[in-house]
Amino acid sequence: MEKTWRWFGKKDAITLTMLRQIGVEGIVTALHDVPNGEIWQEHDIRELRDYIEAAGLRWSVVESLPVSESIKYGGADRDALIQNYCRSLENLSRCGIHTVCYNFMPVLDWARTDLDYAWADGSSSLYFSRARFAFFDLYILKREGAENDYSDAELHAAAELEQTMTDDERRALIDAIIVKTQGFVNGNITENDSQPVELFRQLLDLYKGMTPARLRENLQYFLEAVMPTCRAFDMNLCIHPDDPPMPLLGLPRIVTCDDDIDWLLHCVDDPHNGLTFCCGSLSAGAHNDVPALARKYATRTHFVHLRSTDILPNGDFIEADHLHGRARLVEVCRIFERLNPTLPMRVDHGRTMLGDDKCGYNAGYSFHGRMMGLAQMDGVMAAVKEMEHEQNPNQ
Ligand code: DNO
């Protein structure tokens, strides 16, 4: 697989020069300054592409070309927004970029409650606590009907947090769930918003009464509308699974498991309608067997995220290191190296270690932690290829 790295553009403290030195081949990035829903202009794409190429790298994947909320909830302006989306796809194609990752998660992109959960060795990682999430939902957001979505044990744990959590801790939790994990990926809520919870409630309101079936219809509507452009301009769209793969805050989630993936690849059965195989997101669902899904969907995968998680007995999950955990990345690498070996892959998230915490990186996107993950995965891929070669010397 091609070794890629998520880079956040020229403002990223991690430079392309650094990335070259650690063996990165391709860049995963986006026009982060273009507001959601607007067309990505060809000259802006070309300018960034040339900047990346001048550093001896290539722009391999767009992550993400965000799908506006209105397309997801089926708003009155969705056709105009889909047209803009198609124009952006055409412009990317004209610049030689053919793989675009996106997601169809309403309001909240990915969700974590803790951004610096301490490991015994002094490093830290991301973490999802069901009790802290329930506390946010019940006592901060105060969402109507929220109490129906949690077990008695979770309700009890959330009530205890209500007694003990300080204002600073509450602010940190809000920051983790709706600000620091979101601003840099979809722009719904950013660090400049003074009332993030109020803004978040307004966004949630847009989805009142939304069912999984209607969200599926809206995804199908979007895919049917963009596929002619994808075919004409050879653009591979690859949807990112929901992270974590379960409904949250009363919002349906529709890319969570084998059935969902099967449905979405068949509802518009075209190779340009593909998958971002995010091992980390899928592994956070106890119902998912990640290597089995990789085997089943390898040929409809256009992009791979290598990351792993462990699910704890109380249902919380923690981001495991890349060689361990439920995702079984060694086996996943073996599968992709055999079935779709030219795929771009990136190491997704990494632990915060060796001074990463002082550098202001986006949540999950440390330098040393990701570099270590990349080195581990690079070693795994080399070993897997060597073994393949021993078994099939003529290939
Ligand atoms: C988080 C990321 C996601 C992902 C988007 C893709 O670290 O994996 O934000 O980029 O969901 O659209």
Side-chain angles (χ1 to χ4, degrees):
M1 287 183 277
E2 181 194 20
K3 288 177 280 175
T4 69
W5 181 279
R6 191 175 196 182
W7 174 72
F8 294 100
K10 294 179 193 169
K11 291 182 209 143
D12 195 327
I14 301 166
T15 64
L16 296 177
T17 318
M18 291 159 78
L19 296 181
R20 259 214 85 191
Q21 289 191 21
I22 62 170
V24 169
E25 297 158 340
I27 291 298
V28 174
T29 193
L31 295 187
H32 286 286
D33 294 331
V34 178
N36 202 327
E38 286 184 17
I39 298 177
W40 288 16
Q41 300 299 340
E42 191 177 332
H43 55 86
D44 294 333
I45 302 168
R46 197 173 294 282
E47 204 263 322
L48 189 59
R49 182 205 64 186
D50 291 349
Y51 182 83
I52 293 168
E53 289 185 354
L57 296 160
R58 67 184 280 265
W59 185 349
S60 308
V61 179
V62 168
E63 181 173 356
S64 288
L65 181 55
V67 175
S68 310
E69 294 300 331
S70 173
I71 297 177
K72 294 184 230 169
Y73 66 78
D77 55 348
R78 76 167 152 177
D79 289 334
L81 287 162
I82 291 176
Q83 270 194 20
N84 285 359
Y85 204 92
C86 289
R87 295 298 83 75
S88 298
L89 292 175
E90 288 173 24
N91 291 340
L92 284 163
S93 172
R94 290 195 184 97
C95 297
I97 300 154
H98 292 276
T99 306
V100 171
C101 167
Y102 70 103
N103 73 74
F104 218 76
M105 288 175 257
V107 188
L108 199 61
D109 188 308
W110 53 310
R112 297 290 184 277
T113 55
D114 299 79
L115 308 182
D116 43 20
Y117 189 87
W119 286 45
D121 61 13
S123 63
S124 66
S125 72
L126 306 173
Y127 186 94
F128 184 90
S129 151
R130 294 189 63 85
R132 284 162 62 76
F133 198 80
F135 169 78
F136 168 79
D137 196 0
L138 291 153
Y139 295 97
I140 295 179
L141 202 55
K142 302 188 171 72
R143 183 174 61 89
E144 206 186 312
E147 59 285 355
N148 301 324
D149 292 353
Y150 300 98
S151 68
D152 287 346
E154 286 160 2
L155 292 174
H156 183 73
E160 279 195 345
L161 286 172
E162 166 65 356
Q163 301 301 317
T164 53
M165 263 179 103
T166 63
D167 285 349
D168 280 351
E169 286 168 341
R170 284 167 206 244
R171 264 192 296 277
L173 185 63
I174 296 171
D175 240 22
I177 298 178
I178 61 175
V179 184
K180 290 217 169 80
T181 44
Q182 305 301 304
F184 72 97
V185 292
N186 69 8
N188 266 350
I189 293 180
T190 68
E191 312 236 354
N192 304 326
D193 292 310
S194 58
Q195 305 277 348
V197 176
E198 194 35 51
L199 192 58
F200 192 73
R201 282 196 194 102
Q202 289 165 15
L203 287 163
L204 283 184
D205 276 350
L206 298 170
Y207 288 86
K208 272 238 157 79
M210 179 60 71
T211 61
R214 266 189 52 218
L215 193 60
R216 271 192 175 187
E217 271 169 38
N218 293 347
L219 173 55
Q220 182 165 0
Y221 184 93
F222 167 72
L223 286 171
E224 279 169 355
V226 296
M227 262 321 117
T229 303
C230 291
R231 279 193 280 273
F233 289 83
D234 191 22
M235 292 302 289
N236 286 328
L237 277 194
C238 41
I239 196 164
H240 188 285
D242 303 336
D243 180 4
M246 57 203 68
L248 294 177
L249 306 174
L251 297 165
R253 297 237 183 179
I254 55 170
V255 193
T256 63
C257 61
D258 191 6
D259 276 357
D260 286 347
I261 299 171
D262 197 60
W263 171 82
L264 91 92
L265 297 178
H266 282 101
C267 79
V268 179
D269 202 358
D270 186 304
H272 296 97
N273 170 25
L275 194 62
T276 294
F277 197 92
C278 178
C279 306
S281 306
L282 292 167
S283 72
H287 50 279
N288 286 327
D289 173 343
V290 180
L293 293 172
R295 234 169 266 122
K296 184 165 175 190
Y297 296 112
T299 54
R300 283 290 283 273
T301 294
H302 297 313
F303 181 31
V304 180
H305 284 181
L306 294 176
R307 178 166 70 77
S308 189
T309 64
D310 271 314
I311 304 177
L312 309 184
N314 64 358
D316 291 1
F317 69 85
I318 185 165
E319 297 209 354
D321 74 59
H322 290 81
L323 292 175
H324 299 98
R326 296 193 74 250
R328 299 191 44 220
L329 297 183
V330 175
E331 182 58 14
V332 167
C333 281
R334 197 202 315 267
I335 293 164
F336 284 119
E337 284 297 343
R338 188 177 299 157
L339 300 179
N340 204 346
T342 58
L343 278 176
M345 72 78 175
R346 75 168 176 84
V347 161
D348 190 21
H349 305 173
R351 272 189 282 155
T352 301
M353 61 199 297
L354 305 171
D356 283 331
D357 54 329
K358 298 184 186 64
C359 298
Y361 299 136
N362 289 329
Y365 290 89
S366 63
F367 180 60
H368 293 112
R370 276 193 291 163
M371 177 170 75
M372 185 165 108
L374 176 62
Q376 289 171 323
M377 290 298 103
D378 204 7
V380 167
M381 289 195 301
V384 160
K385 277 188 227 159
E386 190 62 34
M387 282 179 336
E388 279 290 303
H389 181 69
E390 272 170 22
Q391 282 166 12
N392 305 298
N394 302 323
Q395 276 183 9

